[in-house]
Amino acid sequence: MKIIFAGTPEFAAAALEALYGAGHDITLVLTQPDRPAGRGMQLHASAVKQCALAHQTSVLQPVSLRLDGKYPEIAQQAHDVLRATPHDVMVVAAYGLILPLSVLQMPLYGCINIHASLLPRWRGAAPIHRAIEAGDAQTGVTIMQMEAGLDTGPMLLTQALPIAADETTATLHDKLAALGAAMIVDAIAQLERGVLPAPQAQPETGVTYAAKIGKQEAALDFRMPADVLERKIRAFNPFPGATGHCLGATVKIWRARALPAASAAAPGVVLSADAGGVLLACGGKVLELLELQKAGAKRLPAAEFIKGFPLEGGVFE
């Protein structure tokens, strides 16, 4: 089947690679423009662009596809390329740009999206982070037919995946990326055979929105209960990384565990910091810090971290 693929990060690249592996003809790849990254802030191609170029596929990187937006000339040029490119369907995964109706209606079979949640829960930009942060017991992948609304389109396939007690966004991302890749290959195969299930409208109940993760969310509020903070730490690993300020330094907290013990100490007070662990008072309970990092240094187990930066007597703010 002839496919135009639109996506940007690793999650999308996994799906694109799977479609190549299944033998489909990827006639064009859309991805976001190269972005500066790293210490030198050099321009870096997206994971999807790297995958496409490795397979010698043409890549299009418009800053917008909206004909009525800020860049109408660029959008028009992109529309012209899309219309001139043979394709039966467009597959979309974490592209990051709005697809206007003029694009959604272009392919014969429309645009099919790979979304990393069980819709209608966690529509929006950060479904993996928000599912962990909220303490959900499960998440999954929805293959959906796209329409003009934000992740509101009818569902074609869904598959659930449990969220482990120690799950981070990094680990859950990789599981969902693999699941999404397998599901889109299956969906396209069913589409080719004419047996893809009829789209099912999303339920009108249970709708939640996964707002984009902002760097400002990294700073933890230690007045919150320990279990809430533990979920945030896992949700913000690897981005933006949960942080606290202690003894004049910003400390990233990569792993932690909420303990059932109660504490009458003020929020953020370091209860102990020794070989037995780093214990912190949070919201009347205790949070055990397991992996920490100072700016410019390595991530370390807490017992190693305190050898170079003793936390005893400190207060996290």
Side-chain angles (χ1 to χ4, degrees):
M1 179 164 280
K2 294 185 181 299
I3 298 171
I4 290 179
F5 187 91
T8 299
E10 291 287 349
F11 180 87
L16 178 58
E17 189 63 53
L19 290 169
Y20 280 121
H24 294 292
D25 184 6
I26 312 300
T27 56
L28 179 69
V29 166
L30 293 174
T31 192
Q32 290 218 37
D34 297 359
R35 306 291 189 195
R39 292 188 176 182
M41 296 302 286
Q42 299 294 315
L43 288 178
H44 285 262
S46 72
V48 162
K49 180 178 179 179
Q50 294 177 48
C51 179
L53 294 180
H55 289 273
Q56 300 181 324
T57 302
S58 296
V59 176
L60 187 65
Q61 296 177 269
V63 295
S64 174
L65 290 166
R66 296 180 58 176
L67 296 172
D68 60 349
K70 188 177 179 180
Y71 305 98
E73 292 183 1
I74 292 174
Q76 184 61 62
Q77 291 170 5
H79 276 64
D80 293 343
V81 173
L82 291 172
R83 289 194 184 92
T85 301
H87 65 288
D88 303 302
V89 65
M90 182 183 293
V91 172
V92 184
Y95 179 32
L97 290 185
I98 293 174
L99 298 186
L101 197 59
S102 54
V103 172
L104 295 175
Q105 295 178 336
M106 206 176 290
L108 175 64
Y109 295 108
C111 297
I112 296 177
N113 181 247
I114 310 167
H115 188 76
S117 81
L118 298 175
L119 292 170
R121 187 160 178 79
W122 302 128
R123 294 173 178 171
I128 302 175
H129 301 76
R130 300 306 182 190
I132 293 176
E133 184 183 16
D136 290 0
Q138 69 171 6
T139 184
V141 170
T142 302
I143 305 296
M144 55 171 283
Q145 193 83 46
M146 295 182 71
E147 60 180 28
L150 176 63
D151 299 326
T152 59
M155 302 178 293
L156 299 167
L157 301 172
T158 62
Q159 188 167 333
L161 186 74
I163 299 178
D166 61 348
E167 204 83 75
T168 66
T169 289
T171 60
L172 186 57
H173 167 279
D174 291 350
K175 293 176 183 178
L176 291 171
L179 178 60
M183 288 177 67
I184 193 60
V185 168
D186 183 37
I188 296 300
Q190 291 186 47
L191 181 63
E192 282 189 299
R193 299 196 304 269
V195 296
L196 189 63
Q200 299 294 315
Q202 293 185 31
E204 296 182 3
T205 59
V207 176
T208 57
Y209 289 92
K212 184 178 179 179
I213 300 295
K215 290 184 178 179
Q216 73 279 1
E217 296 184 67
L220 297 176
D221 181 352
F222 295 97
R223 296 170 296 181
M224 291 183 173
D227 59 336
V228 173
L229 291 174
E230 180 197 334
R231 294 199 303 267
K232 285 182 176 288
I233 290 164
R234 291 190 286 112
F236 298 161
N237 180 354
F239 177 84
T243 62
H245 195 75
C246 185
L247 299 174
T250 298
V251 178
K252 280 199 172 185
I253 305 171
W254 291 110
R255 288 194 303 119
R257 178 170 54 222
L259 302 180
S263 173
V269 167
V270 178
L271 302 172
S272 65
D274 51 35
V278 176
L279 303 181
L280 202 64
C282 300
K285 296 288 186 179
V286 176
L287 185 69
E288 182 181 10
L289 308 185
L290 300 173
E291 187 177 11
L292 304 166
Q293 181 184 24
K294 279 184 65 178
K298 296 180 179 179
R299 294 166 59 161
L300 294 171
E304 293 296 317
F305 180 87
I306 61 174
K307 291 178 180 178
F309 189 66
L311 293 172
E312 189 70 45
V315 178
F316 275 80
E317 299 174 336

